[in-house]
Amino acid sequence: MNKSIEFFDRQFRQAPAEASLRLNPFEAQALPHVHGEVLDFGSGMGNLTFAAAARGCRVTALDGSAAAVAHMQRRAALEGLPVVATQADLSDYPIRQSYDTVVCIGLLMFFDGPTGWRVLGELQRSTRPGGCLVLNVLVQGTTYMDMFDAERHCLFTPEALRQHFAGWRIDSCELADFDAPGQTLKRFCTLIAHKPLNDPAPT
Ligand SMILES: C[S@@+](CC[C@H](N)C(=O)[O-])C[C@H]1O[C@@H](n2cnc3c(N)ncnc32)[C@H](O)[C@@H]1O
């Protein structure tokens, strides 16, 4: 298991406090944009997954944490919601179908740079024409490094992210700073974009 999956799996194994089942601010920002068939890529405990399913979406939730996936599978059975949760290492995961909405919150910074860009390209390819991609990631300016492997992380710039969405309609691209231990900073970028209807790339 790699360091980032191990870190979150340990957190998720502790009995989920009620607070950890609430949408975080980025999930709350994403929720109004989800529709149709949804891919929650790096879903964590699936808080957004279940909020989307409760709104009528069919959701595929993927995460590397066995504890998070077991929690989602139990909850889907209990609540009878259309959620399929699967455990996978998402640094090398072939996405085999396309979705109306693709959400990836708080994941890509745990990959090395080439992997981060490649996976972002996969997420873009698997968004249907006219569909929405919600991406949230730590970006340059972040000085809190404790959760990263020295060699296995990446911090994109917001400008490079925007460029990667050339031809898409970018609805918003916002930065948010959060204080972190030792007077450090976490700087997040949340980008919400729609793929053009006439996208020629195969999906
Ligand atoms: C910061 S959490 C975000 C979870 C959720 N999207 C949210 O907003 O609460 C990062 C998630 O990425 C998962 N993760 C990290 N590296 C991964 C990898 N290589 N493959 C699959 N999942 C991974 C962790 O298990 C964790 O659930």
Side-chain angles (χ1 to χ4, degrees):
M1 206 190 283
N2 71 37
K3 183 177 170 179
S4 59
I5 298 179
E6 217 172 308
F7 173 83
F8 287 104
D9 194 64
R10 208 176 313 118
Q11 280 195 354
F12 296 149
R13 271 176 204 287
Q14 292 156 6
E18 200 174 303
S20 75
L21 296 175
R22 248 180 264 135
L23 294 184
N24 65 43
F26 306 125
E27 292 174 315
Q29 204 178 341
L31 187 59
H33 300 273
V34 300
H35 67 284
E37 273 194 277
V38 176
L39 174 63
D40 192 352
F41 197 81
S43 58
M45 295 290 273
N47 301 338
L48 177 62
T49 286
F50 283 92
R55 290 181 156 217
C57 298
R58 294 174 307 286
V59 189
T60 298
L62 302 174
D63 200 273
S65 158
V69 170
H71 167 81
M72 289 188 285
Q73 289 172 341
R74 273 195 305 273
R75 188 170 168 189
L78 208 65
E79 298 182 17
L81 286 169
V83 168
V84 175
T86 305
Q87 186 185 4
D89 183 347
L90 301 178
S91 63
D92 189 19
Y93 183 85
I95 304 173
R96 298 199 194 280
Q97 70 161 88
S98 60
Y99 296 86
D100 300 302
T101 314
V102 174
V103 180
C104 180
I105 296 178
L107 174 69
L108 296 187
M109 61 269 194
F110 296 114
F111 302 156
D112 61 55
T115 303
W117 287 120
R118 178 177 50 72
V119 173
L120 177 55
E122 273 277 298
L123 297 175
Q124 290 174 310
R125 265 188 299 284
S126 58
T127 306
R128 290 182 183 147
C132 184
L133 198 165
V134 179
L135 175 73
N136 168 273
V137 69
L138 283 171
V139 292
Q140 272 185 26
T142 296
T143 52
Y144 180 67
M145 307 304 274
D146 285 9
M147 66 189 140
F148 293 133
D149 264 341
E151 284 118 44
R152 214 170 114 107
H153 69 275
C154 61
L155 294 172
F156 301 145
T157 65
E159 296 73 28
L161 276 178
R162 273 182 165 279
Q163 280 169 20
H164 219 265
F165 282 82
W168 290 53
R169 191 187 84 217
I170 297 181
D171 293 347
S172 62
C173 181
E174 292 172 10
L175 295 180
D177 288 350
F178 291 83
D179 290 335
Q183 295 190 317
T184 59
L185 185 79
K186 292 183 189 176
R187 175 164 294 162
F188 290 93
C189 180
T190 305
L191 189 148
I192 300 173
H194 281 83
K195 189 173 193 170
L197 271 172
N198 59 355
D199 186 78
T203 54

